[in-house]
Amino acid sequence: MRRFLKIRKEEAEAASTENELIRGLLQICREVPEHVSVDFQGLEKKLQPNFDLMNLNEFMKVCTLDELSSQSSRKVTYFNLSDAIYEMASELHAIKDSLIFKMCWTNQVQELSREDTDEDDTENSKEMKEIYTLDHVHSKIYQSCYSRYKELYSSLKSGEMLLEEVDIVFEVYIGKHEDLHKDFDIMCRIDPSDDRKWIKGRIAQIREYHDHHLVMDSAKIIMDIRSALCLEGDFSILEKLLQMDEVKSKTNNLNCIDKAFVGAKNILKDVTDQRKECLRVLSQSENFIKWVKRELKDINELKVFVDLASISAGENDQDVDRVAFFHDAVLGYSSLLYGLKQNSGFKNVMDSLPALWKALGNDKDLPKKL
């Protein structure tokens, strides 16, 4: 008896599962081009609200006492689905809540609409609705859509998705990256063997890529500092950052968002608007930088130079102020003016900034004095 009850439970679960598959299938199949009507071949009527009141033998050929030893599958025949449509319904059920899949479906529907509109030659043909069977939905929409979805999954998992594709697919997730985990988790249902270990890293890369614009101003200013100070070291990571907005860089893939890229971006995030202005003023003072480094070979010469300038200034208030400002500006910016060598690179520049930030903290008018 226990075995017989177990079989009945399996049969009931099979009927319930297929009922859910059909509901999901019909729901998404309603999202088709406006000029298309889907013929559900009586499936809507079969999805009766009193499903729980129907007899089990209405859904399938149930197992009898004589067949108790049989290992036959609990095949539901009530909905009379072909193998292709059943497979479509099963695959859709697993991924129907994926926003990325819905985007693929919508894009395929829109593409189909454009193609059909181009083929319409008369106003009458536009007014007539085309009837799609579920086989049409499978061949014209689902197959292309699901193939596209699997391609996205593969390129995401490997990290080989192009940045231009990231711009399109994940635009709606800007500022909502925590929602990506759910969508990627659904994606992994394509491959039951997927351990999902790649998800966390890929979301981090997409987030960093979306947020790179927040440090673009700082990156540009540091490159201007490089030019003003005539530095010849390694600034390749900044060049990579600045190229992110160029069309040619969109052919790079997600794996270019590596630890070096993230590290540089995180450092630049600490450059506040006040600090950016402090750096910007120096970057625009190339002539002054060349002159002061020619006149003062070392920061230790500053005191003597200022003493002589003070004598020269005499009683003129404006000149006295200029000498004082000169002293404060050169001393405040000394970590950049004298702490860097010609072969200094991005890392050396960033290492020299804490001293400048300290000077700026003590004198917020430092940029004005320069």
Side-chain angles (χ1 to χ4, degrees), residues 166-219:
V166 173
D167 288 340
I168 297 170
V169 177
F170 299 109
E171 182 181 11
V172 295
Y173 285 99
I174 295 177
K176 299 184 294 183
H177 296 99
E178 62 280 358
D179 295 340
L180 274 176
H181 199 288
K182 177 184 176 183
D183 226 315
F184 286 178
D185 203 50
I186 293 173
M187 261 189 158
C188 290
R189 294 173 186 172
I190 291 175
D191 179 11
S193 65
D194 193 324
D195 60 13
R196 293 166 165 78
K197 290 181 179 179
W198 59 272
I199 292 178
K200 184 177 179 180
R202 206 67 69 238
I203 293 175
Q205 286 177 311
I206 293 171
R207 180 188 291 111
E208 295 294 345
Y209 174 63
H210 280 161
D211 290 348
H212 80 274
H213 69 280
L214 299 175
V215 300
M216 292 298 276
D217 279 350
S218 298

Side-chain angles (χ1 to χ4, degrees), residues 312-337:
S312 177
E315 300 296 325
N316 187 305
D317 291 343
Q318 186 177 21
D319 286 345
V320 170
D321 287 343
R322 289 181 67 193
V323 171
F325 287 175
F326 173 83
H327 172 270
D328 292 348
V330 173
L331 189 61
Y333 283 97
S334 61
S335 62
L336 289 172
L337 292 173

Side-chain angles (χ1 to χ4, degrees), residues 30-49:
R30 291 188 179 99
E31 300 177 29
V32 293
E34 292 181 0
H35 67 279
V36 168
S37 176
V38 179
D39 177 8
F40 293 118
Q41 298 161 303
L43 285 178
E44 286 178 305
K45 290 182 179 179
K46 289 185 176 181
L47 288 174
Q48 298 180 33

